[in-house]
């Protein structure tokens, strides 16, 4: 039973203990007189009968409590707790009366995740708009030039049209990735059930990317025994394309360097099928690795755009694997190349 001090009765204690979110109760002297289980779990250092200020150091919250005690009108206030980690709480502050005393109940709602998601949404819209605006501005500029100063210049027209085609393709890739990401997020809760063999899938992607590899002076090697996973072939094909194409593009050697290798491996371990892509490129700094799957995050913006990247490939792979109840593993070190591994649950024999 919740510890209390008179005159907070057992009914109030039972009521707040039944609530799933943290609830604190203070008396007219702003001393903590009751706390439910979620509140004690969130603030393990709280002490009943002690001033609330010794537990929660939040000026706006204490000002709200003072106003509620004075006016009796409930208030909502935000409180940003920075220790031990930053959390945002929306607090409903409401007074109530017993037969002999007044009290204030504090109902805390942790809005940290909501704020993070809202910030992610705002950042996503801003980034998507920026990524679309850049090639669109180029297209508009070249069209205006072709309609004006370069109207009769055949050489300039051919050069501008080639650039315009490249920019239009970039926009098409970006829109395609955005639509794919949206579709996957809508179906994130639905796990694919079909049987997919990763071996021919990986071989198909390697064959399709062979011309790019040859042009980039990259040699693809593949080790792919039969590995049956539970999944959706088209989506897993998209993951393989992203990982293998990235390995080719970002590990391509300079002209004065020898040919580099990309090793594609398919297999199974610990109940999971895997598709691993290892390159001999420059590697990735440790501080960048945790952010690689963020939408529009790039280690080198200029290089990524020059190679036709949209900044969404790894985010797309991560979401596809999440839908498959799998995950993406990343290992890399500067000067030692990188390895990206997609893990997908193996299919049960009974499901085949």
């Amino acid at each position: 039973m919740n510890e209390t001090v008179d005159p907070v009765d057992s009914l109030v204690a039972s009521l707040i203990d039944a609530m799933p979110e943290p609830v604190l109760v203070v008396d007219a002297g702003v001393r903590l007189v009751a706390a439910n289980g979620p509140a004690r779990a969130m603030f393990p250092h709280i002490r009943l009968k002690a001033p609330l200020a010794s537990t929660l150091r939040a000026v706006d919250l204490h000002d709200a409590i003072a106003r509620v005690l004075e006016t009796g009108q409930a208030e909502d206030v935000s409180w940003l707790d920075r220790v031990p980690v930053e959390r945002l709480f929306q607090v409903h502050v409401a007074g109530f009366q017993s037969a002999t005393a007044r009290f204030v109940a504090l109902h805390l709602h942790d809005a940290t995740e909501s704020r993070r998601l809202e910030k992610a949404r705002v950042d996503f819209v801003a980034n998507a708009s920026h990524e679309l605006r850049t090639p669109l501005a180029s297209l508009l500029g070249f069209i205006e030039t072709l309609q004006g100063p370069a109207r009769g210049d055949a050489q300039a027209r051919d050069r501008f049209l080639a650039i315009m085609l490249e920019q239009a393709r970039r926009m098409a890739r970006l829109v395609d990735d955005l639509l794919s990401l949206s579709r996957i997020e809508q179906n994130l809760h639905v796990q694919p059930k079909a049987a997919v063999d990763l071996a021919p899938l990986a071989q198909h992607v390697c064959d399709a990317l062979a011309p790019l590899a040859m042009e980039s002076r990259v040699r693809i090697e593949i080790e792919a025994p039969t590995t049956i996973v539970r999944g959706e072939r088209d989506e897993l094909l998209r993951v393989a394309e992203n990982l293998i194409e990235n390995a080719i593009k970002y590990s391509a050697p300079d002209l004065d360097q020898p040919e580099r290798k990309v090793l594609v491996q398919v297999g199974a371990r610990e109940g999971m099928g895997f598709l691993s892509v290892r390159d001999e490129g420059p590697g990735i700094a440790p501080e960048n690795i945790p952010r690689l799957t963020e939408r529009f995050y790039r280690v080198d913006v200029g290089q990524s755009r020059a190679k036709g990247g949209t900044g969404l490939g790894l985010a797309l792979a991560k979401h596809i694997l999440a839908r498959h109840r799998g995950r993406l593993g990343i290992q890399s070190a500067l000067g030692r190349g990188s390895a990206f591994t997609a893990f997908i649950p193996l299919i049960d024999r009974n499901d085949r």
Side-chain angles (χ1 to χ4, degrees), residues 39 78 87 113 125 139 141 181 220 225 253 267 289-290 316 343:
S78 296
R87 291 182 297 184
E113 183 65 11
V125 172
L139 287 172
L181 199 54
I220 301 177
I289 292 176
L316 195 57
F343 293 95

Side-chain angles (χ1 to χ4, degrees), residues 1-3 17 22 24 34-46:
M1 173 59 64
N2 185 15
E3 258 186 83
D17 269 335
L24 303 171
N36 67 354
R40 292 193 298 273
M42 182 169 288
F43 308 109
H45 57 287
I46 60 174

Side-chain angles (χ1 to χ4, degrees), residues 2-58:
N2 185 15
E3 258 186 83
T4 62
V5 294
D6 290 334
V8 176
D9 60 30
S10 60
L11 178 59
V12 172
S14 298
L15 284 173
I16 67 171
D17 269 335
M19 299 187 70
E21 293 190 307
V23 178
L24 303 171
V25 178
V26 299
D27 62 14
V30 198
R31 291 184 299 272
L32 186 65
V33 296
N36 67 354
R40 292 193 298 273
M42 182 169 288
F43 308 109
H45 57 287
I46 60 174
R47 292 182 297 112
L48 296 183
K49 304 183 184 181
L52 182 65
S54 65
T55 297
L56 305 181
R57 303 182 184 277

Side-chain angles (χ1 to χ4, degrees), residues 209-219 245 247-254 258-260 307:
L209 292 174
L212 174 64
M214 184 177 296
E215 179 185 339
S216 304
R217 297 175 58 239
V218 171
R219 184 178 77 260
E245 186 175 1
I248 294 171
K249 287 181 176 179
Y250 296 106
S251 68
D254 295 331
E259 181 183 71
R260 286 178 175 163
K307 294 181 181 295

